[in-house]
Amino acid sequence: MAYADFQMEIYLGGLQGVVPEYPLAYRALQRAARRVLSDEAFDYVAGSAGSEDTLRANREAFRKWRLVPRLLRDVSVRDVSTRLFDVDLPAPVLLAPVGVQSIVHPEAEIAVARAAAELGLPLVLSTLSSKTLEEVATASGDNTRWFQLYWPNDKEITTSFLHRAEQAGYSAVVVTLDTAYLAWRPRDLSHAFLPFLRGEGIANFVSDPVFRSGLAQSPEEDPQSAVLRWASVFSAPTHSWAELAELRAATRLPILLKGIQHPDDARAALNAGVDGLIVSNHGGRQVDGAVGSLDSLPAIAEAVAGRVPVLFDSGIRTGADIVKARALGADAVLVGRPYVWGLAIGGDAGVKQVLRALLAEMDLTLALTGCSSWDDVGPDLLVPL
Ligand code: FNR
């Protein structure tokens, strides 16, 4: 079945008086989530750093490039499958690591894992998940899952996380490097809201044997001390390129670095022997006034020159955005906020609809621009505005 068939499924439903359960346009989706979430939770997801200029730049970067449709190319059969680290994927789309999902839905990452598994799209699980990585692995079944590592400043905890991820069937490690500190985020600051300090989003820490062994009393007996210890190991501004070798040696899994925005950092990553890169600015949540993530992609793809996969995120809202990211050099993309809004309003069903809509729109955009596969999409499909 082609992803585009979701379109006819919706129209046929209309004949029975059925319309899609959740909004399809991004803004309407966000508005619907706004209505069901607390101010704190909504702002935590929607917000970004400082004046939120980078969030806007991420979207503007997409608008600067225009697709040029090509015609009469027999696009009746389309194949959007791709292969990453020896695993076949039905589509070049992954679910970005998003922490502390319990603030938007009680089933949190479990619901997301179920939706991802139904569609066969890989889930990248955050270090700061509300459910443990083992619980999410169980909910994922045999679906592909990667573990996102916020590299703690404690070697033993780092090793323990990597070991647990391997044991639980995660098949790659995404090391997010743009979060040496949490950025200045005025929305969260104005609510004085940081969920981790309230004990949410630290499930992987409080369930970790090494983390627990460093506490005088268990997190169940003394949650406050566990939170304080989390705060002391989480922030890790001392890490350097030289230390990547230690991480490399600590796991047999492929390692991707997330947060790359400069071609020289991409080159440094290749020199360090990593297996993939994720061009990302954390959805604008870390550096205010930064370059739009898509603006960084072409130079990085050029520097990497196909030696390792280059993935992209920050600002993907539509299927056309996915095609543009591909045309500028992405091997696959990660979707962030859109699926979180789906989770907020509909649990796994909400996530699933959001992803199916994105895939359908991507598939139709491919067809309507004259492409039959992901590999057909190249820079010739775009002109600058
Ligand atoms: C994130 N992101 C993120 N990244 C990461 O590596 N680990 C994490 O725990 C989180 N947590 C997180 C929470 C929330 C609420 C958001 C919105 C984002 C960043 C995420 O992986 C991705 O880079 C962005 O979401 C992409 O930007 P858009 O598409 O959401 O704008």
mmCIF file with all atom_site columns, all heavy atoms in Angstrom, residues 1 14 22 27 40 45 60 68 89 125-126 140 191 208 254-256 287-288:
data_model
loop_
_atom_site.group_PDB
_atom_site.id
_atom_site.type_symbol
_atom_site.label_atom_id
_atom_site.label_alt_id
_atom_site.label_comp_id
_atom_site.label_asym_id
_atom_site.label_entity_id
_atom_site.label_seq_id
_atom_site.pdbx_PDB_ins_code
_atom_site.Cartn_x
_atom_site.Cartn_y
_atom_site.Cartn_z
_atom_site.occupancy
_atom_site.B_iso_or_equiv
_atom_site.pdbx_formal_charge
_atom_site.auth_seq_id
_atom_site.auth_comp_id
_atom_site.auth_asym_id
_atom_site.auth_atom_id
_atom_site.pdbx_PDB_model_num
ATOM 1   N N   . MET A 1 1   ? 0.833   -1.211 0.000   1.00 0.00 ? 1   MET A N   1
ATOM 2   C CA  . MET A 1 1   ? 0.000   0.000  0.000   1.00 0.00 ? 1   MET A CA  1
ATOM 3   C C   . MET A 1 1   ? 0.867   1.261  0.000   1.00 0.00 ? 1   MET A C   1
ATOM 4   O O   . MET A 1 1   ? 1.833   1.345  0.750   1.00 0.00 ? 1   MET A O   1
ATOM 5   C CB  . MET A 1 1   ? -0.895  -0.002 1.247   1.00 0.00 ? 1   MET A CB  1
ATOM 6   C CG  . MET A 1 1   ? -2.084  0.911  1.115   1.00 0.00 ? 1   MET A CG  1
ATOM 7   S SD  . MET A 1 1   ? -3.160  0.838  2.573   1.00 0.00 ? 1   MET A SD  1
ATOM 8   C CE  . MET A 1 1   ? -2.712  2.378  3.368   1.00 0.00 ? 1   MET A CE  1
ATOM 9   N N   . GLY A 1 14  ? -15.441 9.971  4.466   1.00 0.00 ? 14  GLY A N   1
ATOM 10  C CA  . GLY A 1 14  ? -16.410 11.058 4.383   1.00 0.00 ? 14  GLY A CA  1
ATOM 11  C C   . GLY A 1 14  ? -17.761 10.592 3.882   1.00 0.00 ? 14  GLY A C   1
ATOM 12  O O   . GLY A 1 14  ? -18.804 11.147 4.250   1.00 0.00 ? 14  GLY A O   1
ATOM 13  N N   . TYR A 1 22  ? -8.232  13.825 14.285  1.00 0.00 ? 22  TYR A N   1
ATOM 14  C CA  . TYR A 1 22  ? -7.365  14.887 14.799  1.00 0.00 ? 22  TYR A CA  1
ATOM 15  C C   . TYR A 1 22  ? -7.040  15.843 13.660  1.00 0.00 ? 22  TYR A C   1
ATOM 16  O O   . TYR A 1 22  ? -7.068  15.449 12.495  1.00 0.00 ? 22  TYR A O   1
ATOM 17  C CB  . TYR A 1 22  ? -6.081  14.276 15.374  1.00 0.00 ? 22  TYR A CB  1
ATOM 18  C CG  . TYR A 1 22  ? -6.375  13.108 16.300  1.00 0.00 ? 22  TYR A CG  1
ATOM 19  C CD1 . TYR A 1 22  ? -6.139  11.795 15.902  1.00 0.00 ? 22  TYR A CD1 1
ATOM 20  C CD2 . TYR A 1 22  ? -6.951  13.330 17.551  1.00 0.00 ? 22  TYR A CD2 1
ATOM 21  C CE1 . TYR A 1 22  ? -6.446  10.730 16.731  1.00 0.00 ? 22  TYR A CE1 1
ATOM 22  C CE2 . TYR A 1 22  ? -7.265  12.279 18.396  1.00 0.00 ? 22  TYR A CE2 1
ATOM 23  C CZ  . TYR A 1 22  ? -7.013  10.973 17.976  1.00 0.00 ? 22  TYR A CZ  1
ATOM 24  O OH  . TYR A 1 22  ? -7.326  9.931  18.790  1.00 0.00 ? 22  TYR A OH  1
ATOM 25  N N   . ARG A 1 27  ? -0.721  23.911 12.452  1.00 0.00 ? 27  ARG A N   1
ATOM 26  C CA  . ARG A 1 27  ? -1.191  24.929 13.413  1.00 0.00 ? 27  ARG A CA  1
ATOM 27  C C   . ARG A 1 27  ? -2.436  24.491 14.150  1.00 0.00 ? 27  ARG A C   1
ATOM 28  O O   . ARG A 1 27  ? -2.589  24.734 15.354  1.00 0.00 ? 27  ARG A O   1
ATOM 29  C CB  . ARG A 1 27  ? -1.461  26.241 12.692  1.00 0.00 ? 27  ARG A CB  1
ATOM 30  C CG  . ARG A 1 27  ? -0.172  26.948 12.450  1.00 0.00 ? 27  ARG A CG  1
ATOM 31  C CD  . ARG A 1 27  ? -0.402  28.275 11.837  1.00 0.00 ? 27  ARG A CD  1
ATOM 32  N NE  . ARG A 1 27  ? 0.902   28.779 11.429  1.00 0.00 ? 27  ARG A NE  1
ATOM 33  C CZ  . ARG A 1 27  ? 1.130   29.989 11.002  1.00 0.00 ? 27  ARG A CZ  1
ATOM 34  N NH1 . ARG A 1 27  ? 0.145   30.834 10.904  1.00 0.00 ? 27  ARG A NH1 1
ATOM 35  N NH2 . ARG A 1 27  ? 2.327   30.354 10.655  1.00 0.00 ? 27  ARG A NH2 1
ATOM 36  N N   . GLU A 1 40  ? 2.072   24.993 31.516  1.00 0.00 ? 40  GLU A N   1
ATOM 37  C CA  . GLU A 1 40  ? 3.477   24.583 31.690  1.00 0.00 ? 40  GLU A CA  1
ATOM 38  C C   . GLU A 1 40  ? 3.888   23.561 30.628  1.00 0.00 ? 40  GLU A C   1
ATOM 39  O O   . GLU A 1 40  ? 4.944   23.673 30.014  1.00 0.00 ? 40  GLU A O   1
ATOM 40  C CB  . GLU A 1 40  ? 3.699   23.956 33.077  1.00 0.00 ? 40  GLU A CB  1
ATOM 41  C CG  . GLU A 1 40  ? 3.722   24.934 34.226  1.00 0.00 ? 40  GLU A CG  1
ATOM 42  C CD  . GLU A 1 40  ? 2.318   25.216 34.756  1.00 0.00 ? 40  GLU A CD  1
ATOM 43  O OE1 . GLU A 1 40  ? 1.322   24.762 34.139  1.00 0.00 ? 40  GLU A OE1 1
ATOM 44  O OE2 . GLU A 1 40  ? 2.233   25.891 35.797  1.00 0.00 ? 40  GLU A OE2 1
ATOM 45  N N   . VAL A 1 45  ? 6.829   22.300 25.464  1.00 0.00 ? 45  VAL A N   1
ATOM 46  C CA  . VAL A 1 45  ? 6.988   21.688 24.137  1.00 0.00 ? 45  VAL A CA  1
ATOM 47  C C   . VAL A 1 45  ? 7.105   22.760 23.049  1.00 0.00 ? 45  VAL A C   1
ATOM 48  O O   . VAL A 1 45  ? 7.985   22.690 22.174  1.00 0.00 ? 45  VAL A O   1
ATOM 49  C CB  . VAL A 1 45  ? 5.812   20.736 23.820  1.00 0.00 ? 45  VAL A CB  1
ATOM 50  C CG1 . VAL A 1 45  ? 5.955   20.143 22.420  1.00 0.00 ? 45  VAL A CG1 1
ATOM 51  C CG2 . VAL A 1 45  ? 5.737   19.612 24.858  1.00 0.00 ? 45  VAL A CG2 1
ATOM 52  N N   . GLU A 1 60  ? 11.714  29.547 8.291   1.00 0.00 ? 60  GLU A N   1
ATOM 53  C CA  . GLU A 1 60  ? 12.067  30.416 7.158   1.00 0.00 ? 60  GLU A CA  1
ATOM 54  C C   . GLU A 1 60  ? 13.037  29.714 6.217   1.00 0.00 ? 60  GLU A C   1
ATOM 55  O O   . GLU A 1 60  ? 12.991  29.887 5.000   1.00 0.00 ? 60  GLU A O   1
ATOM 56  C CB  . GLU A 1 60  ? 12.677  31.731 7.661   1.00 0.00 ? 60  GLU A CB  1
ATOM 57  C CG  . GLU A 1 60  ? 11.616  32.718 8.114   1.00 0.00 ? 60  GLU A CG  1
ATOM 58  C CD  . GLU A 1 60  ? 12.172  33.768 9.061   1.00 0.00 ? 60  GLU A CD  1
ATOM 59  O OE1 . GLU A 1 60  ? 13.409  33.949 9.120   1.00 0.00 ? 60  GLU A OE1 1
ATOM 60  O OE2 . GLU A 1 60  ? 11.348  34.388 9.771   1.00 0.00 ? 60  GLU A OE2 1
ATOM 61  N N   . VAL A 1 68  ? 10.302  22.576 -7.683  1.00 0.00 ? 68  VAL A N   1
ATOM 62  C CA  . VAL A 1 68  ? 9.933   22.787 -9.088  1.00 0.00 ? 68  VAL A CA  1
ATOM 63  C C   . VAL A 1 68  ? 9.377   21.471 -9.646  1.00 0.00 ? 68  VAL A C   1
ATOM 64  O O   . VAL A 1 68  ? 10.127  20.532 -9.885  1.00 0.00 ? 68  VAL A O   1
ATOM 65  C CB  . VAL A 1 68  ? 11.161  23.213 -9.927  1.00 0.00 ? 68  VAL A CB  1
ATOM 66  C CG1 . VAL A 1 68  ? 10.727  23.539 -11.354 1.00 0.00 ? 68  VAL A CG1 1
ATOM 67  C CG2 . VAL A 1 68  ? 11.851  24.405 -9.293  1.00 0.00 ? 68  VAL A CG2 1
ATOM 68  N N   . LEU A 1 89  ? 14.247  0.329  6.215   1.00 0.00 ? 89  LEU A N   1
ATOM 69  C CA  . LEU A 1 89  ? 13.167  1.132  6.797   1.00 0.00 ? 89  LEU A CA  1
ATOM 70  C C   . LEU A 1 89  ? 12.131  1.406  5.723   1.00 0.00 ? 89  LEU A C   1
ATOM 71  O O   . LEU A 1 89  ? 12.492  1.665  4.568   1.00 0.00 ? 89  LEU A O   1
ATOM 72  C CB  . LEU A 1 89  ? 13.709  2.465  7.316   1.00 0.00 ? 89  LEU A CB  1
ATOM 73  C CG  . LEU A 1 89  ? 14.868  2.372  8.315   1.00 0.00 ? 89  LEU A CG  1
ATOM 74  C CD1 . LEU A 1 89  ? 15.343  3.763  8.702   1.00 0.00 ? 89  LEU A CD1 1
ATOM 75  C CD2 . LEU A 1 89  ? 14.446  1.599  9.548   1.00 0.00 ? 89  LEU A CD2 1
ATOM 76  N N   . LEU A 1 125 ? 14.746  7.073  21.407  1.00 0.00 ? 125 LEU A N   1
ATOM 77  C CA  . LEU A 1 125 ? 14.283  7.304  22.777  1.00 0.00 ? 125 LEU A CA  1
ATOM 78  C C   . LEU A 1 125 ? 15.251  8.213  23.526  1.00 0.00 ? 125 LEU A C   1
ATOM 79  O O   . LEU A 1 125 ? 16.455  7.966  23.560  1.00 0.00 ? 125 LEU A O   1
ATOM 80  C CB  . LEU A 1 125 ? 14.149  5.975  23.539  1.00 0.00 ? 125 LEU A CB  1
ATOM 81  C CG  . LEU A 1 125 ? 13.589  6.186  24.947  1.00 0.00 ? 125 LEU A CG  1
ATOM 82  C CD1 . LEU A 1 125 ? 12.099  6.491  24.906  1.00 0.00 ? 125 LEU A CD1 1
ATOM 83  C CD2 . LEU A 1 125 ? 13.885  5.010  25.856  1.00 0.00 ? 125 LEU A CD2 1
ATOM 84  N N   . SER A 1 126 ? 14.691  9.242  24.151  1.00 0.00 ? 126 SER A N   1
ATOM 85  C CA  . SER A 1 126 ? 15.509  10.193 24.915  1.00 0.00 ? 126 SER A CA  1
ATOM 86  C C   . SER A 1 126 ? 16.053  9.580  26.203  1.00 0.00 ? 126 SER A C   1
ATOM 87  O O   . SER A 1 126 ? 15.380  8.782  26.856  1.00 0.00 ? 126 SER A O   1
ATOM 88  C CB  . SER A 1 126 ? 14.655  11.408 25.268  1.00 0.00 ? 126 SER A CB  1
ATOM 89  O OG  . SER A 1 126 ? 15.328  12.226 26.208  1.00 0.00 ? 126 SER A OG  1
ATOM 90  N N   . SER A 1 140 ? 7.980   -1.567 22.098  1.00 0.00 ? 140 SER A N   1
ATOM 91  C CA  . SER A 1 140 ? 8.409   -1.479 20.693  1.00 0.00 ? 140 SER A CA  1
ATOM 92  C C   . SER A 1 140 ? 8.373   -2.819 19.987  1.00 0.00 ? 140 SER A C   1
ATOM 93  O O   . SER A 1 140 ? 8.393   -2.867 18.747  1.00 0.00 ? 140 SER A O   1
ATOM 94  C CB  . SER A 1 140 ? 9.844   -0.944 20.608  1.00 0.00 ? 140 SER A CB  1
ATOM 95  O OG  . SER A 1 140 ? 9.911   0.359  21.112  1.00 0.00 ? 140 SER A OG  1
ATOM 96  N N   . HIS A 1 191 ? 7.299   30.141 34.162  1.00 0.00 ? 191 HIS A N   1
ATOM 97  C CA  . HIS A 1 191 ? 6.491   29.227 34.993  1.00 0.00 ? 191 HIS A CA  1
ATOM 98  C C   . HIS A 1 191 ? 7.332   28.615 36.121  1.00 0.00 ? 191 HIS A C   1
ATOM 99  O O   . HIS A 1 191 ? 6.815   27.808 36.893  1.00 0.00 ? 191 HIS A O   1
ATOM 100 C CB  . HIS A 1 191 ? 5.962   28.059 34.160  1.00 0.00 ? 191 HIS A CB  1
ATOM 101 C CG  . HIS A 1 191 ? 5.039   28.428 33.035  1.00 0.00 ? 191 HIS A CG  1
ATOM 102 N ND1 . HIS A 1 191 ? 3.880   29.138 33.215  1.00 0.00 ? 191 HIS A ND1 1
ATOM 103 C CD2 . HIS A 1 191 ? 5.092   28.158 31.698  1.00 0.00 ? 191 HIS A CD2 1
ATOM 104 C CE1 . HIS A 1 191 ? 3.268   29.293 32.039  1.00 0.00 ? 191 HIS A CE1 1
ATOM 105 N NE2 . HIS A 1 191 ? 3.989   28.723 31.119  1.00 0.00 ? 191 HIS A NE2 1
ATOM 106 N N   . ASP A 1 208 ? 18.513  3.055  37.217  1.00 0.00 ? 208 ASP A N   1
ATOM 107 C CA  . ASP A 1 208 ? 19.847  2.578  36.846  1.00 0.00 ? 208 ASP A CA  1
ATOM 108 C C   . ASP A 1 208 ? 20.632  2.089  38.074  1.00 0.00 ? 208 ASP A C   1
ATOM 109 O O   . ASP A 1 208 ? 20.773  2.822  39.054  1.00 0.00 ? 208 ASP A O   1
ATOM 110 C CB  . ASP A 1 208 ? 20.626  3.707  36.166  1.00 0.00 ? 208 ASP A CB  1
ATOM 111 C CG  . ASP A 1 208 ? 21.909  3.197  35.569  1.00 0.00 ? 208 ASP A CG  1
ATOM 112 O OD1 . ASP A 1 208 ? 21.871  2.723  34.419  1.00 0.00 ? 208 ASP A OD1 1
ATOM 113 O OD2 . ASP A 1 208 ? 22.941  3.212  36.275  1.00 0.00 ? 208 ASP A OD2 1
ATOM 114 N N   . PRO A 1 254 ? 26.453  1.485  16.448  1.00 0.00 ? 254 PRO A N   1
ATOM 115 C CA  . PRO A 1 254 ? 26.784  2.688  15.678  1.00 0.00 ? 254 PRO A CA  1
ATOM 116 C C   . PRO A 1 254 ? 26.476  3.936  16.503  1.00 0.00 ? 254 PRO A C   1
ATOM 117 O O   . PRO A 1 254 ? 25.502  3.960  17.248  1.00 0.00 ? 254 PRO A O   1
ATOM 118 C CB  . PRO A 1 254 ? 25.849  2.625  14.463  1.00 0.00 ? 254 PRO A CB  1
ATOM 119 C CG  . PRO A 1 254 ? 25.220  1.282  14.467  1.00 0.00 ? 254 PRO A CG  1
ATOM 120 C CD  . PRO A 1 254 ? 25.396  0.676  15.822  1.00 0.00 ? 254 PRO A CD  1
ATOM 121 N N   . ILE A 1 255 ? 27.319  4.951  16.356  1.00 0.00 ? 255 ILE A N   1
ATOM 122 C CA  . ILE A 1 255 ? 27.134  6.216  17.090  1.00 0.00 ? 255 ILE A CA  1
ATOM 123 C C   . ILE A 1 255 ? 26.848  7.335  16.093  1.00 0.00 ? 255 ILE A C   1
ATOM 124 O O   . ILE A 1 255 ? 27.582  7.511  15.110  1.00 0.00 ? 255 ILE A O   1
ATOM 125 C CB  . ILE A 1 255 ? 28.395  6.566  17.910  1.00 0.00 ? 255 ILE A CB  1
ATOM 126 C CG1 . ILE A 1 255 ? 28.579  5.556  19.046  1.00 0.00 ? 255 ILE A CG1 1
ATOM 127 C CG2 . ILE A 1 255 ? 28.328  7.992  18.449  1.00 0.00 ? 255 ILE A CG2 1
ATOM 128 C CD1 . ILE A 1 255 ? 29.812  5.809  19.905  1.00 0.00 ? 255 ILE A CD1 1
ATOM 129 N N   . LEU A 1 256 ? 25.771  8.080  16.347  1.00 0.00 ? 256 LEU A N   1
ATOM 130 C CA  . LEU A 1 256 ? 25.478  9.288  15.563  1.00 0.00 ? 256 LEU A CA  1
ATOM 131 C C   . LEU A 1 256 ? 25.604  10.485 16.490  1.00 0.00 ? 256 LEU A C   1
ATOM 132 O O   . LEU A 1 256 ? 25.228  10.395 17.670  1.00 0.00 ? 256 LEU A O   1
ATOM 133 C CB  . LEU A 1 256 ? 24.051  9.272  15.009  1.00 0.00 ? 256 LEU A CB  1
ATOM 134 C CG  . LEU A 1 256 ? 23.670  8.172  14.022  1.00 0.00 ? 256 LEU A CG  1
ATOM 135 C CD1 . LEU A 1 256 ? 23.086  6.973  14.759  1.00 0.00 ? 256 LEU A CD1 1
ATOM 136 C CD2 . LEU A 1 256 ? 22.645  8.702  13.012  1.00 0.00 ? 256 LEU A CD2 1
ATOM 137 N N   . VAL A 1 287 ? 20.172  27.526 21.124  1.00 0.00 ? 287 VAL A N   1
ATOM 138 C CA  . VAL A 1 287 ? 20.819  28.816 20.867  1.00 0.00 ? 287 VAL A CA  1
ATOM 139 C C   . VAL A 1 287 ? 19.839  29.748 20.166  1.00 0.00 ? 287 VAL A C   1
ATOM 140 O O   . VAL A 1 287 ? 19.379  29.457 19.054  1.00 0.00 ? 287 VAL A O   1
ATOM 141 C CB  . VAL A 1 287 ? 22.091  28.638 20.010  1.00 0.00 ? 287 VAL A CB  1
ATOM 142 C CG1 . VAL A 1 287 ? 22.729  29.996 19.723  1.00 0.00 ? 287 VAL A CG1 1
ATOM 143 C CG2 . VAL A 1 287 ? 23.082  27.722 20.711  1.00 0.00 ? 287 VAL A CG2 1
ATOM 144 N N   . ASP A 1 288 ? 19.507  30.841 20.825  1.00 0.00 ? 288 ASP A N   1
ATOM 145 C CA  . ASP A 1 288 ? 18.643  31.853 20.200  1.00 0.00 ? 288 ASP A CA  1
ATOM 146 C C   . ASP A 1 288 ? 19.463  32.597 19.145  1.00 0.00 ? 288 ASP A C   1
ATOM 147 O O   . ASP A 1 288 ? 20.677  32.769 19.293  1.00 0.00 ? 288 ASP A O   1
ATOM 148 C CB  . ASP A 1 288 ? 18.159  32.827 21.284  1.00 0.00 ? 288 ASP A CB  1
ATOM 149 C CG  . ASP A 1 288 ? 17.087  33.776 20.775  1.00 0.00 ? 288 ASP A CG  1
ATOM 150 O OD1 . ASP A 1 288 ? 16.385  33.421 19.801  1.00 0.00 ? 288 ASP A OD1 1
ATOM 151 O OD2 . ASP A 1 288 ? 16.946  34.866 21.355  1.00 0.00 ? 288 ASP A OD2 1
#
